[in-house]
Amino acid sequence: MKQKSRLFFLLLIITCIIPIHSLGKERKTIKIGYIDYARFIEEEATDEYSGYGVAYLEEISKYTNWNYEYVYYTWENCLQKLEDGEIDFLCNAQYSKERDEKFDFSKYSCGKEYGVLLVKSDNKTFYYNDIQAFNNCDIGFLKGSFQNNEFADYAKKMGFQYNSKEYDTDELMQNALQAGEIDAMVAGSLSWKDTFRMVAKFSVDPFYFMTKEGNEELLEPLDDAMKQIQCNNPYFEMQLYEEYYGTSVTSTQPLFTKSEISYINDTKNLRVAYLKDWYPYSYYNEKGEAAGALIQLCKRIEKLSGLQFTYYPYDSLEDMNRDMDSGKIDLISVIPNIKQQLSNRNINITSPYFTNQVMLLSAKEYIHQTKDLNLVAVKSMKHLSSYFYKQFQVRHILWADTLEDCIEAIEKKTADFAVIDYYNVNKALRNSGDEEILVNQMANAKIEITMGVPSDADSRLIGIINNCIQYLSPMDSCETINMELSNQHSVFSLSAFLREYSKMILVVALLSLFVIVVLIIILQRLYRRIVAFDKLTGCYNKLHFEKLVPKILAEQENKQYYIMVFDIYRFKYFIQYYGRKVGDDLLQTIISKVRTLLIKDEIISRISDDEFAILIENTNYIKLIQEIYYFLDEARLEYKLDIPITMNFGLYQIENRKEAVANMIDKAILARKVDKDKRHSLYVIYTDEMEEKLILETRIEEEMKKALNDKEFKVFYQPKVDLKTKKLVGAEALIRWIKPDGTMIFPDQFIPVFERNGFIEELDYYVLNEVSEYIVNRVKNDLPTFPISVNQSRYLFSNPQYVDNIFAIMKNTGVDGQLIELEVTETFYIENHTRLVRVVNQLKECNIKIAIDDFGSGYSSLNLLTEMPADILKIDREFLTDSEKSQAKRDVIENVVELAHKLNMKVVCEGVETIEQEKFLENISCDIAQGYYYSKPISIKEFAVYVENHI
């Protein structure tokens, strides 16, 4: 049943969308001939067509189901091709008796076109209708054009001669005009272009679809379609004209004669009177300015004509007449229904520039005749009183303050009917409480607004204004009046409002109350969820977790609990490697699994990006950790990851149940961090010794800046030895923190702290500066020099000023870039390889050598070797550990060395501690060795001695 209903509605929609005429018909292709008329039929760069004619044809196609093929010819060729039946229609052909002998025309016109005389836009010789200038000029004509005979009749009537030249196409004729071969050209207004100026309009004629004689097969469906179009949308042609030709000079700009232009230039300002209380048509607004729909139209006439108006408010037409007689004003802008209103016959009037229908409102019965009845109207229409008496022959007129008072008068039978203008009818009906108020319309009852000038005024003024009025479209009037009504501050009648909308108000109030209650419930639930839960994983957030833990601990006094914190090892790099979406999906998958492993009264919280906390029983945490590790292998296969997923777990045993949950979490985090980088165990449980470590780290942070200023950080050097010559060829700079009392803080104690708080950047710059000064000092003292490598933290490469800072150190110290090697860990490549490659290329511009440090210690990528322009590859010490016992390790090292050499990189192997390791590296052609077999990192003084003995 549901499927049948859906099918019915689908068919109904299709029927509504597709005109009935087009259903079931096979699409026929119609050939349309066209010439180069701008905006009528034009081919676009996309091989599609657009323009007035194309839009009209597409509308016809909705009824005929026709396809179109557009064929371009000259006008003469179009006529011949049409006569021979090679094309089916021409779309812009005017009717003539000569054409009627050869062709058939559509029953209905498809538009109107002026016959116009055009000159170049910069031509100063010709003015509008300047007949004297037209005499004996050279004029171009399009062969076979309908306008040719029309212009000949016009020239004969106006009494001037001309020399004619004919052209095959509109384009050729336009080119001739631009080249100065002719003075002007005759054309249809539809072919107007911005480069021309119109100086005469000599005809206006409808144009039709034209086909070969006897082509009823096409003409009949065409006429039917055009009839349907005009019935369904009488303004269709007007809308097309506005869309395609509304901005042309023939549509938007009136044309003036030479004499009229002279008058406009000589007339500085005209004083214009208007009615100040006829809202919304003309009124004096709160800013002390003339306002209203009619004033806006007058200002439009100002703009079109170039005249300047100054507006003066008046209470009545009689006052305007008096001041016009005395010469105080030059124009009356608002004269409604002139024949009934003017007592002063010394006024000439313009054409109407605004028309408004008058509507009659009555109670219960329609008004068939108004003679001897009582009429009510608003006081703002009082200037129309003589017109009302004349038009309606009423006995008496009542004047009301508002529309509401008018409605009340006819409801109470104080008046027989009310007169209201068309634009205020809907407002009046809305304010009426009587559903039997009827609207009557009388054909001749309308308000026509004209302008008046003194009868002795310059006759050119009337001509200029009437010329501009022709260019005020009905759309202008509608827009101005609707804009005024939308801004209207109407007087609100509470009683009328309640009377009309009482039932609706009750329904809306009850419905609103219900909606508010439902919304409150939904919002409360939503608020609790937002406040309590993490959006991505559905876990509790940290704040809510800290609220729930004490409650559970209080309720479960006999159970022993831990706070367990875990995260994914190097998750930040994982995100960089696989993308945020894969990372989020993986988190959701893992946490979903974890939640299935929790038992009653165990809860989980997301406390940071990849960090989670669990309240877990002491009997369950080992099983949960093991299950998670089993599941991580499954997740790696599911997501097809080539990087292993490992997790870090830290636990804190809850002994003091009143301890702050935040402190418990911090201690579990501390336990997790203890073994995070060493990866020795699955989990770590918090001990007090870890607290001591936390205290040490705090002390390190408190003392680090002072220690740097006091030069407590010392640079030690570990030699690098050429495996062929066994001679010193370089060194690596390593930092040591030596307190004034001689005690040492080791790098594995302070480096992680500095990396977390960002101080590592300042320390790295310090080391590079110290090394640079050391090298420069050796050069100045003619001592042997060699490249020294300096470790660079990955955090430096995220600093946009990094390269500038390096170059500044080199410039300040004067060190040669060839004696500096900067060691970059492969980890940063995974984080942001694009930036790393860009920075390395900038550094190499100063001859600085780049070494890839600790290769093989993390997620090594062959892309790193191929994309980064490094000079040196340093193999991590872990590869050499137990390499004597592992053939696999030796094979890996040998292949890495071979690969690096093929990529033109030297190879340094770290961690060399035995002669066997040295011999192995020598046999596989490794270039340089570094390690305790040669020397531990030593102070600058010890290093000087080592250099003398091994250089």
Side-chain angles (χ1 to χ4, degrees):
M1 187 65 186
K2 288 184 179 179
Q3 290 179 341
K4 290 182 178 179
S5 299
R6 289 173 182 169
L7 181 60
F8 171 76
F9 282 114
L10 181 61
L11 290 174
L12 181 62
I13 291 170
I14 293 173
T15 305
C16 294
I17 294 174
I18 303 175
I20 296 174
H21 292 75
S22 67
L23 290 176
K25 288 189 177 182
E26 183 180 349
R27 294 181 71 83
K28 185 173 184 177
T29 298
I30 306 298
K31 290 187 176 181
I32 306 295
Y34 74 97
I35 61 174
D36 53 346
Y37 257 28
R39 308 182 198 175
F40 194 80
I41 296 177
E42 291 184 308
E43 186 175 8
E44 305 287 350
T46 57
D47 296 331
E48 296 181 352
Y49 290 83
S50 66
Y52 180 103
V54 175
Y56 210 123
L57 287 165
E58 291 300 328
E59 189 67 21
I60 289 171
S61 176
K62 294 178 182 178
Y63 300 89
T64 61
N65 207 27
W66 286 344
N67 282 327
Y68 301 107
E69 178 185 342
Y70 296 96
V71 186
Y72 175 82
Y73 296 113
T74 65
W75 182 248
E76 277 195 323
N77 284 341
C78 278
L79 294 174
Q80 188 61 51
K81 298 286 185 182
L82 186 65
E83 186 176 0
D84 295 342
E86 295 182 29
I87 58 176
D88 297 306
F89 283 115
L90 291 177
C91 302
N92 55 331
Q94 283 88 357
Y95 174 84
S96 69
K97 290 183 179 180
E98 292 79 5
R99 290 177 178 174
D100 192 38
E101 293 176 358
K102 297 181 180 180
F103 305 104
D104 285 342
F105 293 82
S106 59
K107 185 183 295 185
Y108 305 96
S109 68
C110 52
K112 290 183 179 180
E113 183 178 32
Y114 295 110
V116 296
L117 184 66
L118 302 175
V119 298
K120 290 170 64 176
S121 58
D122 58 355
N123 188 314
K124 304 298 182 183
T125 304
F126 296 96
Y127 289 88
Y128 186 64
N129 282 345
D130 191 356
I131 304 302
Q132 186 176 357
F134 299 163
N135 198 37
N136 294 321
C137 66
D138 296 327
I139 299 179
F141 295 87
L142 182 66
K143 286 182 181 179
S145 174
F146 175 83
Q147 279 88 18
N148 298 352
N149 292 334
E150 295 280 314
F151 184 78
D153 293 340
Y154 169 74
K156 183 176 180 181
K157 180 180 178 181
M158 303 305 294
F160 66 89
Q161 303 291 323
Y162 60 91
N163 304 313
S164 65
K165 292 187 178 181
E166 290 194 332
Y167 296 88
D168 289 329
T169 67
D170 208 44
E171 183 178 5
L172 290 174
M173 182 166 61
Q174 292 174 11
N175 292 340
L177 180 59
Q178 292 287 8
E181 297 173 10
I182 52 177
D183 301 310
M185 58 178 268
V186 168
S189 58
L190 299 185
S191 67
W192 172 86
K193 291 185 178 179
D194 294 340
T195 51
F196 303 127
R197 181 167 57 86
M198 181 167 57
V199 294
K201 277 195 290 190
F202 53 82
S203 67
V204 58
D205 295 281
F207 55 85
Y208 301 84
F209 288 97
M210 188 167 72
T211 186
K212 70 176 183 179
E213 189 175 22
N215 193 3
E216 295 299 327
E217 181 185 357
L218 296 182
L219 204 55
E220 185 175 341
L222 174 71
D223 287 338
D224 287 343
M226 294 182 72
K227 180 179 179 180
Q228 287 295 323
I229 291 170
Q230 295 193 14
C231 288
N232 294 336
N233 185 2
Y235 305 105
F236 178 68
E237 290 175 16
M238 182 189 301
Q239 292 165 352
L240 285 188
Y241 192 85
E242 183 70 23
E243 179 178 356
Y244 292 100
Y245 297 104
T247 58
S248 73
V249 70
T250 59
S251 300
T252 62
Q253 189 60 47
L255 303 169
F256 302 111
T257 65
K258 185 175 182 180
S259 175
E260 288 172 339
I261 291 174
S262 176
Y263 175 85
I264 292 169
N265 292 334
D266 294 341
T267 303
K268 301 299 182 184
N269 190 44
L270 294 173
R271 298 162 296 178
V272 179
Y274 70 96
L275 288 170
K276 68 177 184 180
D277 290 319
W278 191 19
Y279 188 88
Y281 301 99
S282 69
Y283 61 94
Y284 188 71
N285 67 17
E286 61 272 10
K287 296 180 180 179
E289 300 170 344
L294 302 181
I295 299 300
Q296 294 303 315
L297 293 175
C298 287
K299 290 181 178 180
R300 173 82 172 128
I301 292 171
E302 271 191 86
K303 185 175 181 180
L304 289 169
S305 66
L307 295 169
Q308 293 182 353
F309 295 167
T310 301
Y311 297 90
Y312 294 88
Y314 282 82
D315 292 317
S316 67
L317 285 173
E318 289 75 13
D319 293 341
M320 296 182 189
N321 290 337
R322 184 187 64 248
D323 281 2
M324 180 170 280
D325 285 341
S326 63
K328 292 183 179 179
I329 58 173
D330 303 305
L331 274 170
I332 297 177
S333 66
V334 183
I335 300 181
N337 298 70
I338 186 68
K339 293 180 181 179
Q340 293 84 1
Q341 295 300 311
L342 280 183
S343 59
N344 185 346
R345 299 302 177 186
N346 295 321
I347 294 180
N348 291 331
I349 64 167
T350 66
S351 304
Y353 67 92
F354 181 83
T355 301
N356 190 1
Q357 185 71 40
V358 172
M359 313 299 287
L360 309 184
L361 269 62
S362 60
K364 297 186 179 180
E365 296 181 357
Y366 285 104
I367 298 293
H368 299 290
Q369 64 86 28
T370 58
K371 187 176 180 180
D372 296 328
L373 297 180
N374 291 326
L375 175 154
V376 64
V378 291
K379 288 180 179 179
S380 62
M381 302 177 77
K382 209 167 186 178
H383 57 278
L384 294 169
S385 57
S386 58
Y387 165 68
F388 290 159
Y389 278 115
K390 179 80 174 178
Q391 176 69 33
F392 302 118
Q393 298 182 358
V394 293
R395 180 172 63 248
H396 181 64
I397 299 177
L398 301 175
W399 298 107
D401 292 325
T402 64
L403 286 174
E404 290 79 4
D405 294 337
C406 287
I407 298 300
E408 187 175 349
I410 61 175
E411 287 177 339
K412 293 182 176 180
K413 306 294 185 180
T414 308
D416 298 302
F417 68 97
V419 172
I420 296 176
D421 66 85
Y422 171 79
Y423 291 102
N424 277 308
V425 168
N426 286 335
K427 179 184 175 185
L429 293 176
R430 285 198 305 269
N431 291 334
S432 171
D434 191 343
E435 296 180 358
E436 297 185 4
I437 295 294
L438 304 176
V439 179
N440 306 261
Q441 181 175 352
M442 298 183 67
N444 296 324
K446 58 184 178 180
I447 303 172
E448 291 185 333
I449 306 299
T450 61
M451 299 179 74
V453 301
S455 57
D456 57 354
D458 193 311
S459 61
R460 291 174 292 180
L461 179 57
I462 285 281
I464 291 169
I465 293 175
N466 279 339
N467 197 352
C468 294
I469 289 173
Q470 295 180 48
Y471 290 84
L472 296 178
S473 68
M475 192 66 68
D476 290 330
S477 300
C478 291
E479 287 179 355
T480 53
I481 192 68
N482 286 331
M483 185 178 297
E484 289 294 334
L485 290 172
S486 66
N487 295 329
Q488 182 175 359
H489 301 292
S490 59
V491 178
F492 178 70
S493 172
L494 181 61
S495 59
F497 179 80
L498 293 175
R499 185 168 61 244
E500 180 178 1
Y501 298 109
S502 58
K503 293 180 181 178
M504 185 181 295
I505 290 171
L506 179 61
V507 172
V508 170
L510 292 173
L511 184 60
S512 299
L513 181 62
F514 173 76
V515 170
I516 290 170
V517 171
V518 172
L519 280 176
I520 289 173
I521 295 172
I522 293 173
L523 288 173
Q524 284 178 337
R525 292 178 179 176
L526 182 61
Y527 175 75
R528 283 196 297 267
R529 183 156 190 87
I530 292 173
V531 170
F533 293 92
D534 171 61
K535 183 178 179 181
L536 177 67
T537 62
C539 300
Y540 290 117
N541 59 33
K542 185 178 179 183
L543 182 64
H544 202 65
F545 181 79
E546 291 176 359
K547 290 181 180 179
L548 290 178
V549 168
K551 294 180 180 179
I552 296 173
L553 294 176
E555 292 171 359
Q556 305 296 327
E557 294 181 357
N558 297 325
K559 291 182 180 180
Q560 181 62 51
Y561 286 95
Y562 283 82
I563 292 291
M564 182 169 72
V565 172
F566 65 91
D567 69 352
I568 297 176
Y569 181 59
R570 293 191 175 181
F571 185 68
K572 181 179 179 181
Y573 307 143
F574 183 94
I575 292 293
Q576 294 290 339
Y577 199 82
Y578 290 105
R580 169 57 66 178
K581 186 179 186 309
V582 174
D584 287 346
D585 291 346
L586 180 64
L587 277 183
Q588 289 175 323
T589 302
I590 292 173
I591 298 308
S592 294
K593 177 63 176 179
V594 171
R595 292 170 74 174
T596 65
L597 301 173
L598 299 180
I599 61 177
K600 185 180 178 182
D601 296 321
E602 291 182 346
I603 57 174
I604 183 172
S605 165
R606 187 182 185 188
I607 57 177
S608 68
D609 190 26
D610 68 317
E611 195 170 35
F612 297 83
I614 298 177
L615 176 67
I616 191 166
E617 285 191 36
N618 64 337
T619 57
N620 192 36
Y621 72 85
I622 295 176
K623 178 184 176 184
L624 183 141
I625 292 172
Q626 290 173 339
E627 290 288 343
I628 290 176
Y629 264 94
Y630 296 147
F631 179 73
L632 291 180
D633 291 334
E634 297 176 12
R636 183 182 178 187
L637 293 174
E638 179 183 346
Y639 287 90
K640 300 177 180 178
L641 306 176
D642 54 3
I643 296 176
I645 309 170
T646 56
M647 299 179 72
N648 308 287
F649 293 87
L651 290 100
Y652 171 70
Q653 185 176 2
I654 300 174
E655 296 177 352
N656 179 8
R657 299 194 172 213
K658 294 184 179 181
E659 183 179 3
V661 178
N663 290 343
M664 300 179 189
I665 293 173
D666 288 342
K667 291 175 180 178
I669 291 174
L670 181 59
R672 189 203 73 219
K673 288 181 177 179
V674 166
D675 203 53
K676 182 172 183 176
D677 295 320
K678 297 178 181 177
R679 315 297 309 137
H680 286 162
S681 57
L682 292 179
Y683 63 91
V684 178
I685 298 176
Y686 173 83
T687 64
D688 291 337
E689 289 75 17
M690 296 175 188
E691 190 77 26
E692 294 173 4
K693 182 183 177 184
L694 181 61
I695 293 170
L696 174 61
E697 291 182 354
T698 303
R699 183 165 62 84
I700 287 172
E701 289 188 324
E702 290 173 350
E703 297 178 0
M704 60 187 183
K705 290 188 177 180
K706 184 176 184 302
L708 188 64
N709 292 334
D710 294 344
K711 291 189 175 294
E712 293 179 14
F713 291 100
K714 305 296 182 183
V715 178
F716 277 43
Y717 296 90
Q718 185 172 33
K720 295 179 184 177
V721 176
D722 188 306
L723 284 168
K724 290 182 180 179
T725 65
K726 304 300 187 291
K727 297 292 186 180
L728 177 73
V729 291
E732 179 179 359
L734 299 163
I735 196 69
R736 297 293 184 264
W737 185 352
I738 302 175
K739 305 291 287 180
D741 60 3
T743 59
M744 181 182 292
I745 302 177
F746 294 99
D748 60 351
Q749 292 177 307
F750 64 80
I751 293 295
V753 178
F754 291 173
E755 286 182 339
R756 285 199 297 272
N757 62 28
F759 190 68
I760 190 67
E761 294 187 37
E762 206 169 333
L763 184 63
D764 280 354
Y765 289 135
Y766 170 82
V767 173
L768 179 60
N769 192 78
E770 291 289 301
V771 169
S772 298
E773 289 181 349
Y774 172 69
I775 292 173
V776 169
N777 185 58
R778 290 188 67 85
V779 172
K780 287 180 180 179
N781 291 294
D782 294 326
L783 297 173
T785 57
F786 33 79
I788 297 179
S789 60
V790 181
N791 286 289
Q792 298 291 278
S793 166
R794 68 177 185 272
Y795 301 102
L796 284 172
F797 289 88
S798 300
N799 185 343
Q801 303 299 320
Y802 171 63
V803 175
D804 292 338
N805 293 338
I806 296 295
F807 289 170
I809 291 172
M810 294 179 64
K811 181 179 179 181
N812 292 337
T813 60
V815 70
D816 184 351
Q818 296 186 31
L819 297 174
I820 294 293
E821 293 177 4
L822 297 181
E823 295 189 0
V824 182
T825 62
E826 64 179 23
T827 309
F828 187 72
Y829 175 81
I830 297 173
E831 292 183 17
N832 194 335
H833 68 278
T834 303
R835 175 165 177 76
L836 177 61
V837 171
R838 183 170 66 251
V839 169
V840 166
N841 283 322
Q842 290 175 308
L843 292 172
K844 288 179 74 66
E845 291 176 6
C846 284
N847 299 319
I848 295 174
K849 290 183 172 60
I850 303 299
I852 301 174
D853 192 21
D854 296 338
F855 183 78
S857 62
Y859 302 138
S860 297
S861 170
L862 293 179
N863 288 336
L864 168 64
L865 300 179
T866 58
E867 292 185 7
M868 196 171 81
D871 304 287
I872 301 161
L873 181 69
K874 296 193 71 175
I875 299 175
D876 188 66
R877 68 183 69 250
E878 290 296 325
F879 274 100
L880 275 182
T881 303
D882 297 328
S883 59
E884 299 91 340
K885 303 175 184 178
S886 172
Q887 183 61 41
K889 280 193 174 185
R890 292 196 298 274
D891 290 342
V892 170
I893 295 172
E894 183 176 359
N895 281 290
V896 169
V897 170
E898 182 181 355
L899 177 60
H901 285 162
K902 287 182 178 180
L903 295 173
N904 296 318
M905 285 191 284
K906 285 192 173 183
V907 181
V908 178
C909 190
E910 298 178 297
V912 179
E913 297 181 354
T914 66
I915 190 171
E916 290 79 13
Q917 291 174 342
E918 181 189 58
K919 288 181 179 180
F920 164 68
L921 294 172
E922 187 177 352
N923 290 336
I924 63 172
S925 300
C926 181
D927 302 296
I928 298 169
Q930 176 184 342
Y932 275 55
Y933 178 69
Y934 306 102
S935 173
K936 66 179 181 179
I938 51 181
S939 68
I940 192 168
K941 290 182 180 180
E942 294 172 305
F943 185 63
V945 175
Y946 186 93
V947 171
E948 290 179 7
N949 296 329
H950 295 85
I951 194 69

